[in-house]
Amino acid sequence: MKTRANTSEIQGQNFSRETKAAAFIRDALPKVQRCKICGGYLHNHSISIDHKTRKADGGLGSLDNAQLTHPYCNTTFKN
């Protein structure tokens, strides 16, 4: 029987399904959410998980590097 590794131990650049769920639970449940890039309100059916530190700059797919954003804001270039 296979067991899953603890997601906090995974150090890849892509977010795992578990990390995405944990970021949503951490940020969305306590209060009305705003996009971390533009500050606008997020709709429940229009949320994207973004890297705070870009993958191109060595950002990992960890919960500490995850933030909730609009899908549009997540697809544009950010400095």
Side-chain angles (χ1 to χ4, degrees):
M1 181 160 110
K2 289 185 178 180
T3 59
R4 287 187 177 187
N6 184 344
T7 56
S8 64
E9 295 174 6
I10 297 173
Q11 297 298 315
Q13 289 187 327
N14 293 324
F15 293 122
S16 69
R17 172 183 255 159
E18 291 83 6
T19 300
K20 287 180 181 182
F24 181 81
I25 290 168
R26 177 195 68 195
D27 293 346
L29 295 182
K31 59 192 175 295
V32 176
Q33 288 307 298
R34 292 181 171 262
C35 175
K36 301 296 188 211
I37 296 171
C38 75
Y41 289 111
L42 293 172
H43 187 276
N44 290 346
H45 300 291
S46 185
I47 295 175
S48 181
I49 307 294
D50 182 36
H51 288 81
K52 292 177 186 176
T53 303
R54 299 179 324 147
K55 290 193 290 184
D57 295 332
L60 299 176
S62 64
L63 182 57
D64 292 339
N65 196 37
Q67 62 183 355
L68 300 181
T69 64
H70 290 117
Y72 175 78
C73 293
N74 191 14
T75 59
T76 59
F77 181 77
K78 301 166 289 286
N79 291 341

